[in-house]
Amino acid sequence: MFRVGLTGGIGSGKSTVAERFAALGAGVIDTDLLARELTEPGTPTLARIGAQFGAVLLPDGSLDRAALRGLVFADPRARARLESILHPPIRGLMLERAACLETPYVMLVVPLLLESGQESLADRVLVVDCPEAAQIARVCRRSLLARAEVERIIASQIPRARRLARADDIIDNDGPPAALGPQVERLHRAYLGLAAEA
């Protein structure tokens, strides 16, 4: 199946864009949702995270996401350990789910697509882009995180210029929501054509 890897910095609007593609008939697999599924209480992945990082589990056995986020974004080595636990099962589940889809093409929503070297899984790389100031404002508003914490997360991701340089396609999400529709529709038509040729 023809695969589009959708990525972008935190707060760029990846989920919003993915929802619009899904509404047009694309198959969408969001790895953030897979990560949540794989770290539900009682899962082997959560057990490995608990064993590796200690006090990141809440009394009910669920993951203390805020504590884990604070830990890994303050220490690149801790982040690398977490990614080594999470990325293999997420990748496996993503490919398994993709193989079951019967849509014209599949959009793999992978925030760290380029950082993790997974762009090789996609036929096209689509980057959702907006200025860093917009990213910070959106994440602070949505997640109630402190500005400094959002800046640390952005600093841990591939720089914007390098992300854009590695994109096959770009959606500009710096404007009003209404500006997304025509961009998504144009790319959806292009992907349908490419999928038919694949």
Side-chain angles (χ1 to χ4, degrees), residues 102-125:
E102 296 182 1
T103 51
Y105 66 93
V106 62
M107 184 156 286
L108 307 174
V109 185
V110 187
L112 299 179
L113 182 78
L114 302 175
E115 292 88 340
S116 62
Q118 293 189 81
E119 68 264 38
S120 62
L121 298 175
D123 299 292
R124 301 283 292 183
V125 172

Side-chain angles (χ1 to χ4, degrees), residues 44-167:
T45 303
L46 183 59
R48 288 189 65 202
I49 291 170
Q52 180 68 237
F53 294 99
V56 293
L57 299 182
L58 294 168
D60 66 359
S62 64
L63 180 61
D64 185 340
R65 296 180 190 283
L68 185 61
R69 184 173 56 242
L71 195 67
V72 301
F73 285 110
D75 180 356
R77 289 171 301 178
R79 190 170 68 251
R81 289 201 310 273
L82 178 63
E83 289 172 356
S84 73
I85 294 170
L86 280 175
H87 286 180
I90 291 172
R91 177 181 170 138
L93 187 56
M94 175 180 72
L95 294 176
E96 180 185 312
R97 298 267 170 91
C100 296
L101 290 174
E102 296 182 1
T103 51
Y105 66 93
V106 62
M107 184 156 286
L108 307 174
V109 185
V110 187
L112 299 179
L113 182 78
L114 302 175
E115 292 88 340
S116 62
Q118 293 189 81
E119 68 264 38
S120 62
L121 298 175
D123 299 292
R124 301 283 292 183
V125 172
L126 169 59
V127 168
V128 182
D129 180 60
C130 68
E132 189 173 300
Q135 289 179 259
I136 293 168
R138 288 173 185 167
V139 178
C140 288
R141 189 168 56 244
R142 175 187 75 199
S143 305
L144 304 178
L145 296 178
R147 180 185 178 92
E149 189 167 2
V150 178
E151 289 173 343
R152 272 198 303 274
I153 294 170
I154 290 172
S156 75
Q157 297 181 329
I158 191 169
R160 181 184 180 198
R162 282 177 50 205
R163 184 186 297 118
L164 291 171
R166 290 167 68 179

